[in-house]
Amino acid sequence: MENPLPVALDLPRMARDIADSDFPNHYIQTDFDSKVAPKTDAINANSPNPSDDRSDCHLKGTIISPHSLLPKPEAPPGLLERSLSLPETFDSSASAIGKFFREKSNSVSEALKRISSLTKDEDDEESLLVKEFNLVGVKVVKTLKQGTKELKGRISFFSRSNCRDCTAVRLFLRERNLAYVEINIDVYPGRGKELRERTGGASVPQLFFNEKLIGGLVALNSLRNSGMLEGKMEEILGTKCPEDAPAPPVYGFDEEGEVVVMDEMAEIVRVVRQRVPIQDRITKMKFVKNCFSGAELVEELIHQLDCGRKKAVEIGKQLARRHFIHHVFGDNEFEDGNHFYRFLEHEPFIPKCYNFRGVVNDSEPKDAAAVSRRLTCIMSAILESYASDDRLYLDYLGISNSEEFRRYINVVEELQRVDLLTLSQDEKLAFFLNLHNSMAIHAVIRIGHPGGMIDRRPFFSDFMYVIGGHPYSLNSIRNGILRGNRRPPFSLIKPFSKGDKRLELSFDKVNQLIHFGMWNATRGSPSIRFFKCQGIESELKNAAREYFQREDGMQVDLAKRTVYLPRIFKWYSADFGEEKDIPNWIINYLDASKAGLLTHLISDGGSVNIAYQDYDWSLNL
């Protein structure tokens, strides 16, 4: 029997025969050289009989089928087989790739439809726990949750920030996938009165099923251990929640009855702000914008208050102490004469301050320690709701939309004119550590996290708060205040120049443990936390121990006689001392296994190599 196909094919001639067809402005692809060449007159000239070839072609302007003797292309490995109902036609490489992805997309779409249908059919397939689909290059597995009876009522509980029992109740509800409403009376202090009325005391946590008081953690454990919890939930929560149950906190509303006391100087400022001539001037060979002279302010105070010049000068000094006005160069508090001053809202740093919204906070400045405690409670509540259990990852979108964060923004506005000099050393340390960490969250939400070295300046240096009349960035808090005005890494300039008023708050001595309490929204950073001033030294030591337990915190390689340290030891070497002394310092904060390895390495008398691990700058999302 004769072989239907020739043993040897004249492929070049076949290609020329195909190319001679009259298809202007098209490209012909041949299998034998995998090259694409435009049709030209030179190709037509090589045809034995060009006119005959053109006369046989009636498909001008379309794509032709390949020669019947050419080998058929094979499908890529793993590609779904083509439907037999579809005719085999010639596809260019681009159309073949497009068809491949369309077919794959359709397959995935069908699978997703089947998966979504599971949510509708779960009641009919309760015995089947896992649905699995194998697609080309894709494996989809859906695990069905055990069905639970729908609860029409509402679970709510009163809590406080940093309360272990409240954390246990919260964890219990989350593990059972139970929706609940948490009323943190540190965030919503006005609800404390309701708590006392409903329970007869102020202890937390206090759990409610609808309007029924269940009790605290002991009562919850008692119900769970006795096996009565499920029945209690079905009995009470099977009905719609009545109106007299604890109400969820309402977004955008502050506590009723909260009294705002206006500063006694605020009315004077409002008047003279409109009367004093504010102009751009030249003083000390410098161009100064939006300023007025001390004499002009004194004259206006005399006119408005009908007082003597001495009294007007004293009022001007009070305005300066309360940070309504500042000397343009910080030379003095306030003096009569040709000295120039600005109102706080006209300071050049104000546009970069994200706790300033158009106008100065005219309310009476609150006690700095009280504001600090309020900020700590709110931020701790945010962590409890929007951070992972190890506090390494945050839900920034959830934080930005939360009522807690809205209240945080309101509280930080109270820092504009607060007096920080009233804080004790421990209070000041806790305040600036907590402020640094909360500002980092705010910076991620408002300007985004830096993706590289160039983008880090806006994040660490240009994002600011105005506090006590002066600007503070993450850089100035870390290096200017907490590190005693030391130069930051890779910089030759100190954060605060000589005569800067912020130097009064700078620490005289650096506490190395601060580096384990500061968080900068990166995965390489220590986990985020907020500190209380009582026992802050102990909390910082715990933070250091926790950090060194991590893989990127510290490692010992006995074979190479090398200690791998976090890169912060290299960046802030001025704080930790000589490199050879670091292992002896760090051993106090290691667990038993790592401490044993490091002790063995140090005590055998050999050399110890120090290496630094890479720092992960990615966002801890």
Side-chain angles (χ1 to χ4, degrees):
M1 181 176 180
E2 187 178 354
N3 194 333
L5 291 178
V7 175
L9 299 178
D10 188 0
L11 296 181
R13 186 179 183 282
M14 292 178 186
R16 286 197 301 271
D17 292 343
I18 296 171
D20 284 339
S21 300
D22 189 10
F23 296 107
N25 302 324
H26 279 75
Y27 290 87
I28 307 302
Q29 181 173 357
T30 59
D31 289 340
F32 60 87
D33 59 3
S34 300
K35 295 181 180 178
V36 177
K39 175 183 175 294
T40 63
D41 292 340
I43 296 176
N44 289 335
N46 294 330
S47 174
N49 193 349
S51 61
D52 294 343
D53 292 340
R54 285 192 295 271
S55 63
D56 292 337
C57 181
H58 303 286
L59 301 175
K60 185 176 182 179
T62 62
I63 298 177
I64 64 172
S65 302
H67 196 283
S68 60
L69 297 181
L70 286 174
K72 298 294 188 299
E74 295 182 1
L79 182 64
L80 293 175
E81 295 184 359
R82 298 166 59 90
S83 172
L84 296 178
S85 63
L86 296 177
E88 288 292 333
T89 58
F90 176 79
D91 290 332
S92 67
S93 59
S95 62
I97 293 173
K99 182 167 291 187
F100 167 74
F101 282 109
R102 284 196 300 273
E103 290 177 351
K104 191 167 185 178
S105 175
N106 292 337
S107 300
V108 174
S109 299
E110 283 298 320
L112 292 178
K113 290 179 182 178
R114 293 165 64 191
I115 292 172
S116 59
S117 68
L118 289 175
T119 58
K120 302 177 183 178
D121 301 329
E122 282 182 0
D123 294 338
D124 300 332
E125 302 181 13
E126 288 182 356
S127 59
L128 188 60
L129 294 181
V130 177
K131 284 283 188 179
E132 180 176 317
F133 304 94
N134 291 308
L135 307 176
V136 178
V138 181
K139 183 177 181 181
V140 181
V141 178
K142 179 175 177 65
T143 302
L144 303 181
K145 297 178 181 178
Q146 294 286 357
T148 56
K149 203 165 187 178
E150 182 181 359
L151 301 177
K152 299 179 181 179
R154 181 168 66 230
I155 300 174
S156 55
F157 77 98
F158 289 83
S159 68
R160 285 188 181 274
S161 300
N162 299 312
C163 170
R164 291 185 179 181
D165 287 357
C166 297
T167 300
V169 171
R170 190 183 302 111
L171 183 61
F172 171 81
L173 297 175
R174 286 177 179 173
E175 287 177 346
R176 295 202 167 203
N177 296 313
L178 295 172
Y180 63 91
V181 171
E182 181 173 353
I183 306 168
N184 188 315
I185 59 177
D186 287 331
V187 179
Y188 312 103
R191 303 295 293 270
K193 179 181 178 182
E194 178 186 351
L195 172 65
R196 291 189 294 272
E197 292 174 350
R198 288 181 178 274
T199 66
S203 63
V204 292
Q206 292 295 336
L207 185 68
F208 286 81
F209 291 168
N210 286 347
E211 80 286 7
K212 303 293 185 182
L213 173 63
I214 301 302
L217 181 62
V218 174
L220 179 63
N221 285 332
S222 180
L223 283 174
R224 181 179 58 178
N225 296 335
S226 64
M228 299 173 58
L229 180 60
E230 296 295 336
K232 198 81 169 176
M233 291 174 61
E234 291 185 11
E235 175 190 350
I236 301 175
L237 300 175
T239 60
K240 186 177 180 181
C241 184
E243 294 183 357
D244 59 345
V250 181
Y251 180 86
F253 291 90
D254 294 319
E255 308 298 331
E256 293 184 4
E258 188 172 348
V259 179
V260 177
V261 180
M262 299 304 297
D263 194 300
E264 60 182 357
M265 293 291 164
E267 194 61 36
I268 297 175
V269 172
R270 290 175 185 174
V271 174
V272 299
R273 192 182 276 142
Q274 306 298 325
R275 304 287 184 177
V276 172
I278 300 174
Q279 301 174 356
D280 298 342
R281 309 169 193 247
I282 297 177
T283 177
K284 296 183 179 181
M285 302 298 290
K286 294 183 179 180
F287 184 72
V288 183
K289 291 186 175 182
N290 301 323
C291 62
F292 55 88
S293 70
E296 291 169 339
L297 179 62
V298 169
E299 291 292 342
E300 193 59 41
L301 289 172
I302 292 172
H303 176 72
Q304 295 295 330
L305 303 178
D306 192 20
C307 63
R309 198 168 195 89
K310 184 176 180 181
K311 178 66 174 178
V313 171
E314 181 58 34
I315 292 174
K317 291 182 177 181
Q318 291 185 45
L319 294 178
R321 293 189 197 105
R322 293 172 182 260
H323 301 294
F324 283 113
I325 63 173
H326 286 153
H327 190 278
V328 293
F329 301 130
D331 291 347
N332 56 61
E333 187 177 61
F334 180 79
E335 293 182 11
D336 193 0
N338 198 33
H339 303 277
F340 294 108
Y341 303 87
R342 286 194 193 97
F343 288 106
L344 179 60
E345 61 268 27
H346 294 152
E347 291 282 7
F349 56 77
I350 284 296
K352 296 181 180 180
C353 294
Y354 284 79
N355 69 329
F356 190 95
R357 294 191 284 189
V359 295
V360 176
N361 187 340
D362 289 340
S363 61
E364 181 74 20
K366 295 182 180 179
D367 177 66
V371 176
S372 178
R373 288 192 296 270
R374 174 84 169 133
L375 286 175
T376 303
C377 288
I378 292 177
M379 295 311 297
S380 296
I382 286 177
L383 287 192
E384 290 165 352
S385 298
Y386 301 101
S388 60
D389 292 340
D390 56 7
R391 303 184 309 283
L392 291 177
Y393 304 98
L394 296 184
D395 175 11
Y396 293 99
L397 181 59
I399 293 173
S400 65
N401 294 325
S402 68
E403 173 65 9
E404 293 92 338
F405 187 70
R406 187 194 72 84
R407 291 181 179 241
Y408 164 79
I409 296 299
N410 288 344
V411 173
V412 293
E413 288 186 6
E414 298 175 2
L415 296 174
Q416 293 176 11
R417 299 186 302 105
V418 74
D419 185 6
L420 298 180
L421 294 175
T422 60
L423 296 174
S424 67
Q425 286 294 97
D426 285 349
E427 288 174 337
K428 185 172 64 173
L429 179 59
F431 173 79
F432 279 109
L433 284 173
N434 294 340
L435 186 67
H436 179 280
N437 296 344
S438 61
M439 281 180 66
I441 294 178
H442 194 181
V444 171
I445 292 172
R446 288 301 305 270
I447 66 175
H449 191 263
M453 287 293 294
I454 297 177
D455 300 327
R456 289 175 197 163
R457 177 177 174 80
F459 187 86
F460 291 104
S461 298
D462 294 344
F463 183 91
M464 299 180 182
Y465 282 179
V466 54
I467 306 170
H470 300 286
Y472 290 87
S473 65
L474 294 174
N475 177 48
S476 60
I477 291 175
R478 177 189 284 267
N479 301 296
I481 301 296
L482 296 172
R483 296 186 62 231
N485 200 34
R486 293 189 176 187
R487 290 189 295 269
F490 316 113
S491 176
L492 300 177
I493 303 174
K494 293 182 178 182
F496 304 147
S497 59
K498 186 178 180 180
D500 195 312
K501 296 291 185 181
R502 293 171 291 183
L503 285 172
E504 299 180 46
L505 295 167
S506 183
F507 285 86
D508 297 329
K509 184 179 179 182
V510 180
N511 183 345
Q512 297 97 328
L513 294 173
I514 61 171
H515 295 289
F516 309 103
M518 282 184 284
W519 172 87
N520 57 18
T522 64
R523 295 189 178 186
S525 168
S527 61
I528 184 171
R529 60 180 70 214
F530 294 93
F531 301 90
K532 296 180 179 179
C533 59
Q534 298 87 0
I536 188 170
E537 186 73 15
S538 176
E539 289 189 58
L540 284 172
K541 290 179 179 179
N542 290 334
R545 293 187 183 98
E546 180 184 281
Y547 185 56
F548 291 132
Q549 284 295 102
R550 291 164 37 175
E551 289 295 324
D552 60 343
M554 181 267 184
Q555 295 295 326
V556 178
D557 190 333
L558 290 178
K560 297 181 179 180
R561 301 192 59 81
T562 301
V563 178
Y564 295 92
L565 297 177
R567 197 159 289 269
I568 58 175
F569 282 90
K570 184 177 181 66
W571 293 334
Y572 301 102
S573 57
D575 301 346
F576 291 101
E578 295 186 21
E579 190 175 73
K580 61 182 180 64
D581 296 329
I582 292 178
N584 291 312
W585 180 87
I586 206 175
I587 202 170
N588 298 310
Y589 305 101
L590 301 179
D591 64 350
S593 60
K594 287 187 177 181
L597 292 174
L598 186 57
T599 301
H600 176 74
L601 197 63
I602 296 173
S603 61
D604 66 2
S607 61
V608 178
N609 302 316
I610 302 293
Y612 298 97
Q613 304 191 70
D614 292 334
Y615 191 90
D616 189 349
W617 283 101
S618 56
L619 178 64
N620 66 331
L621 186 61

